[in-house]
Amino acid sequence: MINLRRTTAVARTEFIHVLRDWRSLFLAIAIPLVLILLFGYALTLDLKKVPTVIWDQSRTPESRELLSLFDGSPYFSIKGFHDGYAPLKREIDAGKAMIALVIPGDFAGKIRAGRTVTIQAIVDGSDATTSRLAATYTRGIGMIYNRKIRAAALAFTPQGQRRAGSVELVPRVWYNAAMRSQNMILPGIVAIVMMVIAAMLTSVTIAREWETGTMEQLISTPIRGHELIFGKVIPYFVIGMIDVAIAVALGEWLFHVPLRGSPALLFAMAALFLTGALFLGMTLSITLKSQVLANQIAIVAGFLPTLILSGFVFAIENMPPLLQALTYIVPARYFIPIMRGIYMKGIGLEILWLNALLLCIYAAVLIMAANKRLKLRLE
């Protein structure tokens, strides 16, 4: 429920603060510029350099000619060659490949005999939008190859007596066979909800104490800085974990999104991400001592990067190099693949350990920063 009295007070305070505080006025101008730059560069529906791995059982000039089309296309980037489904699965599970091509051993024989040969294209369906485009591009490469071998067959003799074979690329989507968008969106929504609850709400906690004058009363008590910080964080941590539980329940019962991995691991990773987000807001609140300013920066530093620069909606590979480098400091970049891996692929820490470690480092750094910044004394 919205308390109109508090809402009106916040709106009045924000208006007065924008007029009196040059920092708030600067942000009022800077935020639209940042949004324009982020949306202008990061929001693109073009799919390029799809990471692709190959299992070429034929290893003939015909199969190499087909692979040269993938290698020369701006839409695909061949990351390696493997033997067997197990290494292909490891590459897709680890997020190092989105497509795996399996060329059968009788590829060249069927092409020379003028028969149709089927090539398997395994697509990672945990990102429904991207995988759908990748499957379409894969079929396009197959059509180009068909035209080449038919043209070569017609040029074999003046009468064109050689029969042309054909290639049929059959995409097979793993983890999300129907390519339902809900299966991809739900893990990202959990990250956004947690960031909103954490960074934006905790960003005003300590600042509120300074602005209302109650910090002087807290300073006069025996309470210590870390006790004050953790005492204020705990309620929002409980709220955040309840939101995670609600999101998981709605995903299961309302959207029918399968949870193939460990629920305990999911909640543990969510708790880790939530801790970092909570202390991000707390650090901003302690440093800025202004509710409006801290809340504005929390939106810029927390919510917007989570939405745009985490790979939730738009593929990081399609962004300019500068924005790609910037995504490494966005914790949701590591959390969303963890959620998708647990939800869609049922994998555990044996693959996700690096992302989990980076989330631990992120949370630890912000906990130390918040405790170091808080000084229980009057300036």
Side-chain angles (χ1 to χ4, degrees):
M1 299 293 292
I2 297 178
N3 187 298
L4 294 179
R5 182 178 179 182
R6 290 198 297 266
T7 303
T8 303
V10 170
R12 184 174 64 252
T13 304
E14 182 178 357
F15 178 74
I16 296 174
H17 190 76
V18 167
L19 294 179
R20 293 182 177 179
D21 190 347
W22 67 267
R23 294 174 299 177
S24 297
L25 185 59
F26 171 78
L27 284 177
I29 299 174
I31 288 176
L33 293 177
V34 171
L35 287 176
I36 291 172
L37 292 175
L38 288 178
F39 279 88
Y41 283 107
L43 301 187
T44 174
L45 297 179
D46 295 332
L47 187 63
K48 295 182 179 180
K49 297 183 179 180
V50 176
T52 306
V53 289
I54 308 294
W55 180 17
D56 185 1
Q57 303 176 54
S58 178
R59 298 183 180 181
T60 57
E62 286 79 3
S63 64
R64 287 193 291 270
E65 183 180 6
L66 172 63
L67 294 179
S68 68
L69 296 178
F70 283 91
D71 192 33
S73 170
Y75 303 109
F76 297 92
S77 176
I78 296 180
K79 298 299 183 181
F81 294 82
H82 301 279
D83 293 321
Y85 282 101
L88 298 183
K89 185 178 185 300
R90 283 196 301 269
E91 294 292 302
I92 294 178
D93 284 347
K96 297 179 180 179
M98 182 175 293
I99 288 183
L101 293 178
V102 181
I103 301 177
D106 58 354
F107 177 83
K110 287 187 175 181
I111 290 295
R112 294 165 185 168
R115 299 165 58 190
T116 299
V117 56
T118 299
I119 297 175
Q120 188 178 42
I122 301 171
V123 184
D124 183 359
S126 60
D127 188 339
T129 302
T130 304
S131 60
R132 188 177 293 110
L133 286 173
T136 301
Y137 292 163
T138 303
R139 295 189 188 96
I141 294 293
M143 295 174 62
I144 294 174
Y145 186 75
N146 283 335
R147 288 198 296 267
K148 290 188 66 173
I149 59 177
R150 286 170 184 166
L154 291 174
F156 186 76
T157 62
Q159 294 78 20
Q161 295 175 354
R162 180 183 175 185
R163 182 183 175 188
S166 63
V167 171
E168 182 182 3
L169 279 165
V170 181
R172 179 185 175 187
V173 179
W174 282 3
Y175 311 119
N176 186 13
M179 291 193 288
R180 297 179 65 241
S181 297
Q182 290 89 343
N183 294 3
M184 175 195 69
I185 290 174
L186 182 69
I189 289 294
V190 173
I192 292 176
V193 168
M194 292 170 66
M195 184 59 73
V196 171
I197 292 297
M200 293 182 65
L201 292 184
T202 56
S203 65
V204 299
T205 52
I206 300 297
R208 186 188 302 116
E209 301 293 345
W210 287 107
E211 289 189 352
T212 58
T214 56
M215 183 59 77
E216 289 82 355
Q217 301 175 14
L218 289 172
I219 293 174
S220 64
T221 66
I223 193 170
R224 297 181 178 180
H226 63 276
E227 296 171 343
L228 177 63
I229 290 176
F230 283 99
K232 286 184 171 294
V233 162
I234 288 174
Y236 296 107
F237 181 84
V238 173
I239 293 173
M241 294 307 295
I242 291 175
D243 286 334
V244 174
I246 293 174
V248 172
L250 289 177
E252 180 72 24
W253 299 329
L254 185 61
F255 299 108
H256 307 291
V257 177
L259 176 56
R260 298 188 173 98
S262 168
L265 180 61
L266 185 148
F267 279 94
M269 293 296 99
L272 193 59
F273 175 74
L274 180 61
T275 301
L278 286 168
F279 279 92
L280 170 64
M282 187 64 67
T283 303
L284 292 173
S285 185
I286 293 169
T287 303
L288 300 173
K289 299 181 181 179
S290 168
Q291 295 184 65
V292 175
L293 187 59
N295 190 264
Q296 288 177 339
I297 294 183
I299 294 176
V300 175
F303 172 68
L304 290 177
T306 301
L307 178 65
I308 299 174
L309 300 178
S310 63
F312 166 50
V313 180
F314 309 101
I316 294 175
E317 295 79 8
N318 295 342
M319 300 179 187
L322 180 61
L323 283 182
Q324 290 187 35
L326 188 62
T327 62
Y328 286 103
I329 63 174
V330 178
R333 175 193 170 106
Y334 312 110
F335 178 63
I336 290 179
I338 289 176
M339 294 292 289
R340 286 177 175 170
I342 296 173
Y343 256 101
M344 308 294 296
K345 304 177 182 178
I347 55 181
L349 288 178
E350 70 279 359
I351 293 177
L352 302 172
W353 66 270
L354 180 58
N355 284 6
L357 177 61
L358 292 172
L359 286 182
C360 283
I361 295 173
Y362 171 78
V365 168
L366 286 174
I367 289 173
M368 291 187 292
N371 282 277
K372 186 176 181 179
R373 292 294 301 174
L374 180 62
K375 306 295 182 183
L376 291 180
R377 63 172 182 264
L378 297 177
E379 296 180 354

